[in-house]
Amino acid sequence: MMERNTSLILLVLLVLLNGCFLFEVDGSRTQGKYELIERRKSYEQTSSKPNLELPLRSAFDIGDVQYIVTMNVGTPPQEFFMSLSTCSVLSWIKCRNQCRNCSSEKESPDKRFYQPNKSRSFRTVPCSSSFCTSDLIPAKANEVCPTPDAPCRYDHYRRDGTKLFGTIGNDTVTIRTKSNQKVILENITIGCTEKIKSKIPQPLDGLLGLAAERQSFAAKALRQTRTTSFSYCLVDYLTPINVSGYLVFGGDNQLPNMQETDLLIGHYTWSTCYHLNVSGISVDGKMLDIPSDTWIYNPDGEYGGVMLEVGNPLTSFAAPVYDKLIQGLLPFISKFKKVKGKVLEHCFNSTGFNETLVPKLAIHFGNGAKFEPPVRNYVINQHQDVKCLAFSRFDKLEVSMIGNILQQNYLWEFDVLNDKLRFAPSTCTSD
Ligand SMILES: *[C@@H]1O[C@H](CO)[C@@H](O)[C@H](O)[C@H]1NC(C)=O
Ligand SMILES: *[C@@H]1O[C@H](CO)[C@@H](O)[C@H](O)[C@H]1NC(C)=O
Ligand SMILES: *[C@@H]1O[C@H](CO)[C@@H](O)[C@H](O)[C@H]1NC(C)=O
Ligand SMILES: *[C@@H]1O[C@H](CO)[C@@H](O)[C@H](O)[C@H]1NC(C)=O
Ligand SMILES: *[C@@H]1O[C@H](CO)[C@@H](O)[C@H](O)[C@H]1NC(C)=O
Ligand SMILES: *[C@@H]1O[C@H](CO)[C@@H](O)[C@H](O)[C@H]1NC(C)=O
Ligand SMILES: *[C@@H]1O[C@H](CO)[C@@H](O)[C@H](O)[C@H]1NC(C)=O
Ligand SMILES: *[C@@H]1O[C@H](CO)[C@@H](O)[C@H](O)[C@H]1NC(C)=O
């Protein structure tokens, strides 16, 4: 078990840093301001709160530091492993309409493709429709439209150089909930990714977009369940596959010790991410000396501030933040022999390591709330005897990003009605 983990950690770390720039570069800006998740008026507060709860597990066994849900798409249903992204509007699946040798492709477990042609409930979104030319702009729909009925196309350019191309349609999604009920969601907009150009392996089938935008899966699931918040609870990424956390739309997920801070959604033109109002970072109770304007998002230059991205394994800080943080952690790191990391910058020989030696990190929010992740959320194993700090540095001006390893062992609730983020430590396994 331990050895299996160790070799997987190596494999996964290779994709870790590359996979860390999951959110897309905005390639197709036109005009206007991104719309918010449709809220307030459109939701009626009902007394009985329905909820839609999906098991959410680590994809570590598949070779990725991502969290995945199982989703059935189309009629009859085709099953896929979808990783979560809180910045992505479009949900997409690796897709193939014509297969050269369908029988062999079907049998091969690593070749799982969505085949819209085989789904009775699939509807192409025409490229001439206003749904394509306006509503789906935040989902990176482009202007290519050879004939009015041709499918709406998209292209995504990610910061790691990965490019995705495909067409957009609607289909029915069937979800098996944690309590083993079947829930059917209609008209879910899905990208059929025909081509991925990437230097790094893409082991998962697709991506579920939970962005702060009307066309995201999160917004649609909230509308269809008539609820106003969603939550996810992330188990430790090394947790075996038979233990799941959960992704839930609606429901009552309050834990007694939840902290609350503002979600800055819809404040900024173009951004579909969940930005946070961070006021500082402390190491062992001492605030790091970071200029306060570093914490403010600049929507024109798309830099500054902090956002939460569950699709990003590492926490990536803008250079001024990263440098001060490492400076603050240096007295601790320098107690150990430095080891050259394969991917991460600060790795050390962990002989004699004890978590109690690691300074306590805290992210402070504008309203006084504090996120104090456990040590295992930021000091991770690379392989036997070697541990690394799970942070990466943006050389350029960027938005700092709280990634999924830092978020693990916590419940995160996105209350989009009240623009609040609530969080509390949780094992995610007890209902
Ligand atoms: C299709 O795949 C099957 C199983 O792998 C193989 O036996 C068959 O020869 C293939 N047919 C073609 C045309 O490639
Ligand atoms: C399947 O879809 C592709 C692309 O949309 C189309 O070119 C093809 O004709 C379709 N095939 C069938 C059998 O419907
Ligand atoms: C796809 O679904 C959206 C709602 O999610 C709807 O507005 C749009 O008209 C649908 N398009 C088609 C072609 O079904
Ligand atoms: C799905 O979208 C189509 C096209 O806009 C519409 O006719 C249909 O009523 C929608 N179905 C649901 C369940 O929303
Ligand atoms: C998960 O599997 C491991 C062994 O593979 C077993 O020891 C453990 O009890 C299982 N946990 C649950 C919750 O089923
Ligand atoms: C770590 O240090 C110990 C003790 O000095 C040594 O035996 C071991 O080989 C080192 N491991 C690595 C990966 O450097
Ligand atoms: C770590 O240090 C604490 C306090 O000094 C001690 O109680 C604990 O046993 C140590 N843990 C390990 C794994 O050595
Ligand atoms: C962040 O919090 C501070 C302190 O409460 C407040 O003054 C400031 O206006 C907030 N910023 C935003 C963008 O909400």
Side-chain angles (χ1 to χ4, degrees), residues 9-190:
I9 287 168
L10 253 179
L11 165 76
V12 160
L13 274 170
L14 291 174
V15 296
L16 193 74
L17 191 69
N18 292 314
C20 111
F21 309 102
L22 233 172
F23 73 108
E24 289 93 17
V25 177
D26 199 328
S28 59
R29 291 180 170 211
T30 47
Q31 81 290 56
K33 190 180 163 97
Y34 283 169
E35 285 172 82
L36 306 184
I37 286 181
E38 189 180 354
R39 34 198 173 138
R40 303 200 162 87
K41 271 189 185 160
S42 63
Y43 295 124
E44 286 157 32
Q45 293 287 16
T46 51
S47 50
S48 70
K49 284 198 169 176
N51 71 51
L52 176 58
E53 183 169 342
L54 291 81
L56 177 66
R57 72 167 179 92
S58 166
F60 196 68
D61 65 303
I62 309 174
D64 217 338
V65 184
Q66 293 291 342
Y67 289 86
I68 53 175
V69 294
T70 302
M71 248 174 52
N72 290 289
V73 180
T75 316
Q78 305 167 34
E79 187 192 273
F80 302 103
F81 295 144
M82 310 283 280
S83 67
L84 308 186
S85 164
T86 31
C87 271
S88 183
V89 176
L90 188 70
S91 300
W92 59 263
I93 310 174
K94 289 177 189 165
C95 180
R96 186 162 290 180
N97 257 324
Q98 294 120 324
C99 35
R100 290 204 185 82
N101 190 347
C102 288
S103 63
S104 70
E105 276 162 5
K106 215 160 139 194
E107 281 152 26
S108 169
D110 58 335
K111 292 236 167 89
R112 296 153 59 99
F113 293 102
Y114 173 44
Q115 293 180 274
N117 280 4
K118 292 197 172 160
S119 168
R120 286 196 303 276
S121 46
F122 177 78
R123 300 283 173 273
T124 296
V125 169
C127 59
S128 58
S129 64
S130 66
F131 191 58
C132 176
T133 57
S134 150
D135 297 343
L136 293 181
I137 298 271
K140 316 288 191 239
N142 66 30
E143 287 144 19
V144 176
C145 197
T147 61
D149 289 337
C152 184
R153 299 199 65 87
Y154 64 93
D155 38 37
H156 285 203
Y157 298 96
R158 295 192 201 156
R159 296 187 185 213
D160 64 356
T162 299
K163 296 173 184 171
L164 305 171
F165 307 92
T167 59
I168 302 178
N170 285 349
D171 210 337
T172 298
V173 166
T174 311
I175 286 165
R176 197 159 280 285
T177 66
K178 232 183 164 189
S179 53
N180 216 19
Q181 280 174 309
K182 245 199 211 166
V183 175
I184 292 172
L185 304 172
E186 284 175 42
N187 276 348
I188 299 299
T189 303
I190 295 168

Side-chain angles (χ1 to χ4, degrees), residues 56 229-233 246-250 253 411-414:
L56 177 66
S229 74
F230 70 92
S231 318
Y232 54 72
C233 198
Y246 50 87
L247 167 67
V248 55
F249 299 91
N253 282 286
L411 168 68
W412 299 90
E413 183 190 9
F414 296 74

Side-chain angles (χ1 to χ4, degrees), residues 211-371:
E213 208 284 329
R214 288 194 53 184
Q215 299 305 331
S216 77
F217 179 83
K220 287 189 184 178
L222 290 176
R223 271 196 298 261
Q224 293 205 19
T225 55
R226 310 184 80 79
T227 52
T228 56
S229 74
F230 70 92
S231 318
Y232 54 72
C233 198
L234 307 180
V235 293
D236 195 291
Y237 77 104
L238 298 174
T239 303
I241 64 169
N242 61 349
V243 180
S244 295
Y246 50 87
L247 167 67
V248 55
F249 299 91
D252 194 0
N253 282 286
Q254 294 292 321
L255 293 174
N257 53 344
M258 283 193 121
Q259 299 216 39
E260 181 179 282
T261 187
D262 295 332
L263 270 184
L264 308 178
I265 48 182
H267 288 228
Y268 308 120
T269 311
W270 300 117
S271 181
T272 60
C273 300
Y274 296 94
H275 293 258
L276 304 175
N277 187 352
V278 168
S279 60
I281 294 183
S282 64
V283 170
D284 268 346
K286 193 163 168 281
M287 291 303 288
L288 300 175
D289 179 22
I290 295 167
S292 58
D293 61 358
T294 311
W295 305 119
I296 299 168
Y297 179 60
N298 178 327
D300 297 323
E302 295 182 65
Y303 64 86
V306 180
M307 66 199 192
L308 213 59
E309 170 52 304
V310 73
N312 229 58
L314 294 176
T315 291
S316 309
F317 284 121
V321 179
Y322 182 91
D323 294 345
K324 281 282 158 44
L325 176 63
I326 296 302
Q327 204 181 316
L329 293 172
L330 214 52
F332 151 71
I333 313 168
S334 54
K335 285 188 188 133
F336 297 88
K337 208 167 102 210
K338 192 169 169 67
V339 174
K340 198 167 156 36
K342 284 202 158 50
V343 174
L344 295 164
E345 193 184 350
H346 291 284
C347 298
F348 56 89
N349 185 321
S350 59
T351 306
F353 176 83
N354 184 321
E355 284 198 354
T356 58
L357 299 170
V358 183
K360 291 273 170 292
L361 180 77
I363 297 179
H364 300 253
F365 297 101
N367 68 335
K370 237 194 304 186
F371 170 45

